[in-house]
Amino acid sequence: MSRRQVLGLAAMAAAAVPLASGCSGDADSVEPLKAPPENEMYPLAEAKELFHSLAWPKTDVPEPTKPVTVTMAITADKNAEVRHQQFAYFFREQHPNIQIKREVTSFDDFLTKYLTAAAGGSLSDVMYCQYAWAANLIKKNILAPLDDFIAKTPDFKVDDFAPEAISYWIKDGKHYAVPSDSAPKLLFYNKDIFDKAGVKYPDATWTWQKLQETAVELTSGSGVNKIFGYTPMPKMSADLAATHLLAYGGRFLNPDESAVTINEPGAHDALAPWVELAVKHKAVPSNAEMQALAAADPFRRNHAAMSVNGLWILSQMQTLPKADRFRWGLTDIPSGPQGRFSPLVGSSFGITKRAKHPEAAWIVLNAFMSAAGHRYFRVTPPSRLSTFEQNLADLKLPAQVVKDGKAAVKTYGTSDGVLRGPATTKITDTATVTWDKVRAGTMSLADGLAEIQSTVGPILKENA
């Protein structure tokens, strides 16, 4: 599962009642307060005790004087809904004039759906925003600046967020959303596969070259029994440069995203070993092999020795199905000739320009994105630094894992090189068409990078 598909993290804004239709719903139709559900994971008594033990933030933004409904467009999985319904119940006990309703949309459909809704003049009060969408939603006047609300909320504490994490939602000095989850990528490894091969575990001394050599050594088997040395193959994603290219002095685009630079030596040197791993050694999954696995992550299915992934998968690693369970560890992302880099990326929630109840929406948003909200939902990893260690510790992770995770945020986590222009999705989709030919071995790397340069170049004018 990719970072964008960790729906439990994105579900922080879910609340009690789905919208029947449309994005904004009947904003003043407030239903009687009903006791929320519970399940084995979220007993109601525990939820109540935790909620009332937390210091929920205050704001000078006035409460509504009559009942209103704050609508929220989110992406979430069904397993998290019980917790959100519980939150909505306890929140409304504290704010009796605010009911929360939600509309849940899959991540893959979300951006298209709400760009269409915005064009038609209909939007929720609050909406989810992935980091790569931020510039587009701001440019299209979909998200509203939050600075006036932040100024009226002394407990908000902008400095509780890593500057890199919050940077995606700042434009011309204004804040357009509040980060929910944020984390760097680290190197996860399967201890069972390493032990079986008699190979030492990765550590902070590893380089990308060492990882690639070891991936070849650990690749074995075929078909449904194949063990890949590493997964996934680098993708033409918004964070490609921060994950793979900067370590070799390469970039996807230049810093102001006005020129394609992936065809320059640094990027070529970073990507060439991966093409060899895919085409010659078959040490990373091909597109066809991923389809055979039903797009499931080979690492979490116990079919790969190593994977660079975000800390957002920690909770899933702790709750793997019994059939897929294995011993695992993590360490720093490997370094390259130019140093060690990892993309510090995440998601957020903002208030839309068409919000029917912006002040009430801020009261809701401020609670969800507060330190108390991060603790209540056990967001992993939280964007607020003040809750980072405790939220990871709640997963009963080794202390070293928690320490290494926060150190990565503070030392080599970066937003440099992460694409954020309005045309980002179009750029990555266009480049992927060519990259798939390269990774399949039907086009050389040199020809592929040249083609990406020629096809992506004309798109960059849309970033202006």
Side-chain angles (χ1 to χ4, degrees):
M1 187 180 294
S2 73
R3 185 232 170 282
R4 306 285 73 80
Q5 294 170 314
V6 184
L7 301 178
L9 301 182
M12 277 190 60
V17 187
L19 295 177
S21 61
C23 296
S24 59
D26 182 2
D28 294 311
S29 177
V30 177
E31 299 175 2
L33 190 61
K34 300 177 182 178
E38 63 180 332
N39 59 16
E40 185 177 353
M41 182 176 292
Y42 299 121
L44 188 56
E46 176 272 339
K48 180 178 180 179
E49 180 180 2
L50 176 60
F51 187 94
H52 291 295
S53 72
L54 297 168
W56 294 95
K58 298 178 180 179
T59 178
D60 293 333
V61 174
E63 294 276 339
T65 58
K66 64 178 182 179
V68 301
T69 297
V70 171
T71 58
M72 311 186 77
I74 65 168
T75 176
D77 64 26
K78 293 182 179 179
N79 291 330
E81 290 186 4
V82 168
R83 189 58 152 189
H84 308 313
Q85 291 181 45
Q86 292 170 346
F87 173 83
Y89 177 84
F90 298 128
F91 176 88
R92 192 167 163 196
E93 283 187 331
Q94 292 187 343
H95 306 273
N97 277 342
I98 303 176
Q99 174 181 258
I100 305 170
K101 287 190 177 183
R102 63 183 174 83
E103 182 175 84
V104 181
T105 303
S106 70
F107 178 85
D108 291 340
D109 296 331
F110 193 94
L111 184 60
T112 299
K113 176 177 179 177
Y114 287 101
L115 287 177
T116 302
S122 175
L123 278 174
S124 61
D125 295 308
V126 175
M127 71 180 295
Y128 167 77
C129 178
Q130 192 246 23
Y131 76 96
W133 305 344
N136 201 13
L137 297 184
I138 294 170
K139 182 180 180 179
K140 292 182 179 296
N141 230 18
I142 292 174
L143 294 177
L146 301 176
D147 300 85
D148 288 346
F149 291 134
I150 292 173
K152 295 177 181 178
T153 310
D155 293 339
F156 184 77
K157 298 179 181 178
V158 174
D159 60 1
D160 197 22
F161 303 95
E164 296 83 2
I166 202 170
S167 66
Y168 302 100
W169 297 280
I170 299 176
K171 175 71 172 176
D172 298 329
K174 295 180 178 180
H175 297 76
Y176 285 86
V178 183
S180 54
D181 58 286
S182 179
K185 292 183 175 181
L186 278 76
L187 175 59
F188 290 76
Y189 55 92
N190 185 316
K191 291 183 176 181
D192 293 341
I193 294 175
F194 273 80
D195 288 349
K196 185 176 181 180
V199 177
K200 290 185 178 180
Y201 299 152
D203 58 33
T205 68
W206 270 38
T207 63
W208 282 111
Q209 182 179 350
K210 173 68 172 177
L211 179 148
Q212 291 151 352
E213 292 170 350
T214 306
V216 174
E217 183 178 358
L218 295 178
T219 299
S220 65
S222 61
V224 296
N225 296 315
K226 183 170 183 176
I227 300 296
F228 299 97
Y230 180 88
T231 188
M233 178 73 172
K235 302 175 183 178
M236 293 292 116
S237 58
D239 63 359
L240 171 68
T243 308
H244 295 288
L245 308 186
L246 292 182
Y248 287 79
R251 288 179 175 272
F252 195 150
L253 306 179
N254 68 344
D256 67 2
E257 301 190 18
S258 63
V260 182
T261 54
I262 199 170
N263 197 25
E264 295 181 2
H268 181 280
D269 292 348
L271 294 172
W274 291 107
V275 176
E276 183 173 333
L277 278 182
V279 177
K280 179 180 178 180
H281 300 291
K282 315 295 184 186
V284 294
S286 66
N287 281 336
E289 287 168 325
M290 286 300 298
Q291 290 173 3
L293 287 166
D297 175 16
F299 182 75
R300 276 170 277 180
R301 292 288 301 275
N302 203 7
H303 278 277
M306 296 176 285
S307 179
V308 165
N309 212 323
L311 292 179
W312 46 82
I313 73 166
L314 284 172
S315 59
Q316 296 167 54
M317 294 302 300
Q318 292 288 79
T319 56
L320 290 170
K322 188 174 182 179
D324 296 332
R325 211 165 291 167
F326 58 89
R327 295 181 305 119
W328 58 274
L330 63 79
T331 187
D332 290 301
I333 195 170
S335 62
Q338 300 301 318
R340 193 188 313 275
F341 303 87
S342 183
L344 192 57
V345 296
S347 299
S348 72
F349 293 92
I351 297 175
T352 70
K353 280 283 189 72
R354 296 183 181 275
K356 187 172 182 180
H357 302 292
E359 292 184 333
W362 172 254
I363 294 170
V364 173
L365 183 62
N366 185 45
F368 273 107
M369 299 296 103
S370 68
H374 280 64
R375 292 289 300 125
Y376 185 80
F377 285 96
R378 300 193 179 104
V379 179
T380 308
S383 58
R384 285 191 176 272
L385 298 174
S386 61
T387 61
F388 192 94
E389 283 109 334
Q390 188 59 55
N391 277 29
L392 266 62
D394 284 347
L395 295 176
K396 296 181 173 55
L397 295 165
Q400 191 62 42
V401 169
V402 179
K403 181 179 178 181
D404 290 347
K406 191 160 189 180
V409 172
K410 292 188 171 183
T411 56
Y412 59 84
T414 183
S415 59
D416 185 27
V418 179
L419 305 188
R420 59 183 73 196
T424 292
T425 300
K426 191 172 182 179
I427 289 167
T428 55
D429 287 349
T430 300
T432 296
V433 174
T434 300
W435 184 241
D436 283 346
K437 292 183 283 187
V438 173
R439 63 181 292 184
T442 60
M443 177 181 282
S444 71
L445 176 61
D447 289 345
L449 296 183
E451 182 171 291
I452 290 172
Q453 182 176 22
S454 66
T455 56
V456 168
I459 301 172
L460 298 185
K461 63 181 182 293
E462 299 178 24
N463 276 339

